[in-house]
Amino acid sequence: MSGIVGIFSKKKYKNVFPELYSGLYAIQHRGQESMGISLLAHEKLSEIRGKGEIANNISLDNISTLAGNVGLGYVKYRFAEDDKSLMPMPWLFYPKNSNFKNLIAIDGKFLDETSPEDVVNKLNSNNIDEIIEFINNLKGAYSIILVNGNRMIAIRDPYGIKNLCVGKKEDSYIVASESCVIESIDGQLCHELKPGEIYIVDDNGEESYFAKELSNSPCIFDFVYTARPDSSINGVSVYDARIKMGEILYKEHPVDADIVVGSPDSGLISAVGFSRASNIKYERAIVRNRYINRTFILPTNSMRKKGIRIKLNPIKHLIEGKRVVLVDDSIVRGNTIKRVIEILRESGAKEVHIRIASPQVIKEETFTFDVPDKDHLISNNRSVEEVRKIIGADSLGFISLEGLRQACGNKTYYENCFNGYNPLERI
């Protein structure tokens, strides 16, 4: 998951920190474990890195210390198996055969023992054929941004699992995990990197080279949960895809009810689609405490449970005596949905029907986001009816994998957690 932003300005005395800072905020939703902003100005490094969110680390007391015409920003989503002792990215390296300090941020994982230092040393080659050969042999799901005083290099893995996009603002070139970053700082979105694309920008301009494309399979869960709705992935609007998920959900699992409610926040848009398709009234009957972060990405189960209890609050007069359809993005462990159903029942709901805008999560995942061991997945080795009984719903329906693909433009996607297509299995 995580999120990375890189900015390179050809004007040596320009400070790109304001754009980098704003752009990083635009992807805070991709990780809250730690953050980092590092900039270079004439090889002088200024940076702030720390645990927690951006606002926990950058303040009026230290904001004036950050300046540079090139820089990287990073927000970290921690996997359970990650080394907790590692300092937050970006990392600083003094590579072989280079006179420049190098900053690198990596979103993703490699299948071999390749280290960030190995990557920096390889990417500092002046021979593009050597870089292409290195990427052809680097296996995994990753996106990479490397900057120094001379150039910025951005790479999308040849499987296309991790997304990266390129934009411009005046004399600055921007690379980011999501298109919303570029638009949030008034930049112009230029293109999404293609799988295996090696995008290089320096004082002379920009150019792209290409490793061998092995697939074009962005993670489909970005559409369901991870990405901001104002982003686009693979040429498909995330917002439009979520509306279509709700419409298809109703076609696949119709129900008679009085109101449709979205589970804040990532179920809200699909709930609108469900309402439109069913002609059942949509109500914002559950309010989310905006100061509570996503319970899904809290690192421990006890923290997630505590977060759920103070995260959501019902508007009771909209729910009392009603047959409620609750639309949510996914069910992983089942903690959140069980609590939301309890909240609706406590608020007087006559019936609670659950509709989920993704298929059952039945397989663990370690490359794109942290889905736990399958023994902790509520849908593992259980039928839909068995899950329904556990969570306490009157009915339960999941969108089919075919329906989800249709909502996302009928393209090829990385679908490992749903036991769907996974190009990495061919390695």
Side-chain angles (χ1 to χ4, degrees):
M1 198 158 147
S2 298
I4 52 180
V5 184
I7 301 182
F8 180 97
S9 173
K10 292 193 289 185
K11 291 185 177 180
K12 300 302 181 183
Y13 292 94
K14 180 174 180 178
N15 184 11
V16 301
F17 169 71
E19 286 83 8
L20 188 60
Y21 178 56
S22 299
L24 196 61
Y25 255 109
I27 50 171
Q28 178 72 88
H29 61 282
R30 297 189 70 88
Q32 299 149 20
E33 179 70 17
S34 62
M35 61 74 60
I37 287 184
S38 301
L39 299 106
L40 291 169
H42 305 285
E43 291 305 295
K44 180 181 179 181
L45 173 69
S46 60
E47 65 176 355
I48 293 175
R49 299 186 296 168
K51 294 182 179 180
E53 300 179 23
I54 301 164
N56 296 341
N57 293 281
I58 298 180
S59 65
L60 291 174
D61 295 330
N62 57 26
I63 201 169
S64 62
T65 66
L66 297 166
N69 70 301
V70 298
L72 275 182
Y74 182 82
V75 289
K76 173 66 175 173
Y77 165 81
R78 184 171 64 82
F79 289 80
E81 62 187 40
D82 283 352
D83 186 348
K84 298 178 183 179
S85 66
L86 290 176
M87 288 293 291
M89 284 189 266
W91 287 306
L92 174 68
F93 290 101
Y94 299 86
K96 303 172 185 175
N97 305 318
S98 175
N99 296 321
F100 296 98
K101 296 176 181 177
N102 283 253
L103 297 168
I104 188 171
I106 301 170
D107 173 18
K109 295 186 178 183
F110 308 126
L111 290 176
D112 58 17
E113 297 300 318
T114 300
S115 69
E117 186 172 11
D118 294 332
V119 176
V120 172
N121 287 327
K122 292 293 184 180
L123 295 187
N124 266 278
S125 172
N126 291 319
N127 186 334
I128 188 60
D129 291 333
E130 291 182 2
I131 296 177
I132 291 173
E133 182 181 5
F134 172 66
I135 298 303
N136 280 333
N137 292 298
L138 183 61
K139 306 301 181 184
Y142 58 85
S143 57
I144 300 169
I145 306 177
L146 180 145
V147 297
N148 57 38
N150 189 40
R151 64 181 179 176
M152 175 168 66
I153 301 177
I155 299 171
R156 186 179 180 190
D157 71 77
Y159 297 95
I161 295 172
K162 293 286 186 175
N163 194 51
L164 269 184
C165 49
V166 175
K168 293 181 183 178
K169 182 179 180 182
E170 300 171 349
D171 61 292
S172 295
Y173 297 82
I174 310 150
V175 179
S177 298
E178 289 190 33
S179 60
C180 66
V181 171
I182 296 165
E183 294 167 348
S184 71
I185 58 176
D186 295 324
Q188 178 184 357
L189 178 65
C190 297
H191 75 283
E192 294 181 53
L193 266 67
K194 295 180 179 179
E197 183 171 350
I198 302 163
Y199 173 80
I200 302 177
V201 58
D202 57 24
D203 291 338
N204 297 317
E206 56 187 329
E207 194 160 4
S208 287
Y209 304 89
F210 296 89
K212 183 179 179 181
E213 180 177 318
L214 299 176
S215 73
N216 188 1
S217 310
C219 179
I220 202 166
F221 207 72
D222 273 352
F223 287 96
V224 173
Y225 178 81
T226 312
R228 262 179 40 165
D230 52 336
S231 289
S232 61
I233 300 170
N234 215 18
V236 178
S237 161
V238 174
Y239 178 88
D240 290 349
R242 289 180 183 170
I243 288 288
K244 291 176 183 177
M245 289 174 205
E247 293 172 346
I248 293 169
L249 252 180
Y250 176 72
K251 292 176 183 177
E252 292 185 345
H253 302 286
V255 63
D256 290 328
D258 301 306
I259 61 171
V260 176
V261 178
S263 185
D265 283 326
S266 48
L268 297 177
I269 298 172
S270 293
V272 172
F274 193 98
S275 173
R276 290 178 183 177
S278 64
N279 289 317
I280 301 172
K281 186 178 182 182
Y282 171 76
E283 293 282 10
R284 288 288 296 267
I286 299 177
V287 177
R288 178 184 181 273
N289 184 335
R290 69 180 62 186
Y291 300 102
I292 301 298
N293 297 322
R294 290 180 166 190
T295 54
F296 176 81
I297 62 175
L298 289 173
T300 68
N301 195 48
S302 62
M303 290 174 69
R304 283 187 290 270
K305 288 183 177 179
K306 290 177 181 178
I308 293 166
R309 289 186 176 275
I310 58 175
K311 176 182 177 181
L312 305 172
N313 197 53
I315 302 176
K316 293 185 178 181
H317 74 270
L318 296 176
I319 298 168
E320 190 171 7
K322 300 291 198 317
R323 297 170 298 168
V324 178
V325 179
L326 177 72
V327 179
D328 206 349
D329 59 280
S330 60
I331 300 179
V332 181
R333 301 170 182 85
N335 294 328
T336 299
I337 198 70
K338 287 173 67 176
R339 178 57 183 151
V340 176
I341 291 171
E342 290 172 1
I343 289 172
L344 292 172
R345 299 237 188 249
E346 291 165 0
S347 299
K350 185 178 179 181
E351 298 173 6
V352 179
H353 302 275
I354 304 299
R355 296 295 181 267
I356 304 298
S358 64
Q360 288 180 274
V361 177
I362 58 176
K363 197 172 180 180
E364 60 196 61
E365 168 61 27
T366 59
F367 278 100
T368 57
F369 55 96
D370 196 22
V371 173
D373 181 276
K374 62 183 180 180
D375 292 338
H376 294 97
L377 301 175
I378 192 171
S379 289
N380 177 50
N381 288 326
R382 291 191 179 99
S383 67
V384 174
E385 176 60 18
E386 288 172 328
V387 175
R388 182 197 68 78
K389 290 179 179 178
I390 292 172
I391 64 175
D394 290 289
S395 72
L396 172 63
F398 294 85
I399 196 172
S400 66
L401 186 52
E402 294 75 16
L404 180 58
R405 290 171 182 156
Q406 180 184 343
C408 299
N410 280 324
K411 300 184 179 185
T412 302
Y413 291 103
Y414 177 81
E415 307 160 342
N416 182 62
C417 67
F418 305 127
N419 202 29
Y421 179 65
N422 179 4
L424 296 175
E425 290 180 341
R426 299 181 296 176
I427 298 176

